[in-house]
Amino acid sequence: MADALTDDDVDRLFHALADATRRDILSRTMRADQSITALSRGYDMSFAAVQKHVTVLADAGLVSKERRGRERLVRAVPARVRRARELLSRYESLWRERAAGIEAILAADDSVRGTARST
Amino acid sequence: MADALTDDDVDRLFHALADATRRDILSRTMRADQSITALSRGYDMSFAAVQKHVTVLADAGLVSKERRGRERLVRAVPARVRRARELLSRYESLWRERAAGIEAILAADDSVRGTARST
DNA sequence: CTAATATTCAACCAAATGGTTGTATATGAC
DNA sequence: GTCATATACAACCATTTGGTTGAATATTAG
């Protein structure tokens, strides 16, 4: 994916994942494309509620809706999930860089102290 | 980390990440522990607002607050970020499993067709 | 053409959210 | 001991969210 994600894009992405129903919809559509009606059978809420969740996922780019006659098939967009995962990996990188910085300082310190001790 | 995350834990985790200010706080505290006052200098909002964001991150387990005299140092919890990343990796795995299933079916289909053609 | 099915969206409601202001408490500096 | 600084939290407000109900539209089946 060529385009960078804006802060709003990322807001939507993680917001879409911040709900158990939406995560379940994502799981199911990762396994197989499904219509909204088929999806809604799996949840104890109104059709409109499931429809809203699908819309949130679509706005976040995590799924797309493809028309098949009167049905819309909800199709997962794995590339977007990978994108979210990459964002999190970057936060982890920040930590590793910080840890690496600390080790470098300690290594320098040990060298100085080693020299001092050999006196 | 030994404990599994509940759906509510995961809700909080991704909800905490669904805001640009909180993601920035996470970035900064990944690089260095900081007091809330120090953090709040970087945002154009009231101290209480930043305080609230830090609380959301803490409730999600992404940071901890460690007391240093009158200050609280906000410390990132990289293990939690890794956890969120692992959750996303699992969704990606679902897709790969699906793709692998499709390839297996196609391979079997090709074998049958190959045999038929050799007649 | 009509009926059934699938989907979209508006309007509504209660709860949650993000930000502000102000008060209270705890700790450190002097 | 007082003052300054740092933090926590309540109360408030506007907006957003998650769910419901109902009406409208599009497509398929008969």
Side-chain angles (χ1 to χ4, degrees):
Chain A
M1 61 230 58
D3 293 336
L5 293 173
T6 66
D7 272 339
D8 284 348
D9 290 332
V10 183
D11 285 358
R12 280 190 283 276
L13 196 42
F14 287 118
H15 174 74
L17 293 164
D19 182 273
T21 301
R22 291 199 286 277
R23 290 195 297 276
D24 195 72
I25 290 171
L26 185 58
S27 296
R28 291 181 185 210
T29 53
M30 277 293 183
R31 295 191 184 96
D33 296 354
Q34 297 194 43
S35 69
I36 302 176
T37 301
L39 281 171
S40 73
R41 286 192 210 107
Y43 304 104
D44 186 20
M45 62 177 69
S46 69
F47 175 89
V50 176
Q51 225 265 344
K52 273 194 170 189
H53 282 303
V54 173
T55 300
V56 171
L57 286 165
D59 286 350
L62 286 162
V63 302
S64 65
K65 300 192 223 175
E66 332 238 305
R67 203 162 186 170
R68 293 289 189 275
R70 66 189 174 194
E71 281 188 344
R72 298 300 168 90
L73 283 189
V74 182
R75 161 169 267 258
V77 179
R80 197 64 141 188
V81 176
R82 185 172 69 247
R83 202 54 184 278
R85 196 251 302 152
E86 284 167 354
L87 286 168
L88 295 179
S89 295
R90 288 217 210 111
Y91 289 112
E92 289 182 280
S93 293
L94 292 179
W95 182 264
R96 284 196 290 272
E97 285 165 24
R98 171 180 173 181
I102 291 171
E103 283 178 17
I105 291 166
L106 287 175
D109 196 47
D110 281 347
S111 294
V112 170
R113 281 180 179 165
T115 299
R117 280 204 195 106
S118 74
T119 298
Chain B
M1 66 228 55
D3 294 336
L5 294 173
T6 67
D7 272 341
D8 284 349
D9 290 332
V10 182
D11 286 358
R12 279 190 283 278
L13 195 43
F14 286 117
H15 174 75
L17 293 165
D19 182 272
T21 301
R22 292 199 287 275
R23 292 195 296 275
D24 195 73
I25 291 171
L26 184 59
S27 295
R28 292 183 185 208
T29 53
M30 277 293 186
R31 294 192 187 96
D33 296 354
Q34 295 196 43
S35 69
I36 303 177
T37 300
L39 281 170
S40 72
R41 285 191 212 109
Y43 305 103
D44 187 20
M45 61 178 71
S46 69
F47 174 89
V50 176
Q51 228 261 344
K52 268 193 172 190
H53 282 303
V54 172
T55 299
V56 172
L57 287 164
D59 287 349
L62 286 162
V63 302
S64 66
K65 300 191 222 176
E66 332 237 305
R67 204 165 187 168
R68 292 287 188 278
R70 66 189 175 191
E71 282 187 344
R72 298 299 168 90
L73 283 189
V74 182
R75 163 170 266 258
V77 179
R80 198 65 143 186
V81 176
R82 185 172 70 245
R83 203 52 185 278
R85 196 251 301 151
E86 285 167 355
L87 286 168
L88 295 178
S89 296
R90 291 219 208 109
Y91 289 113
E92 289 181 281
S93 294
L94 292 178
W95 183 264
R96 284 196 291 272
E97 286 165 25
R98 172 180 172 182
I102 290 171
E103 283 177 16
I105 291 169
L106 287 173
D109 196 48
D110 281 347
S111 294
V112 169
R113 281 177 181 166
T115 300
R117 280 208 197 102
S118 73
T119 298

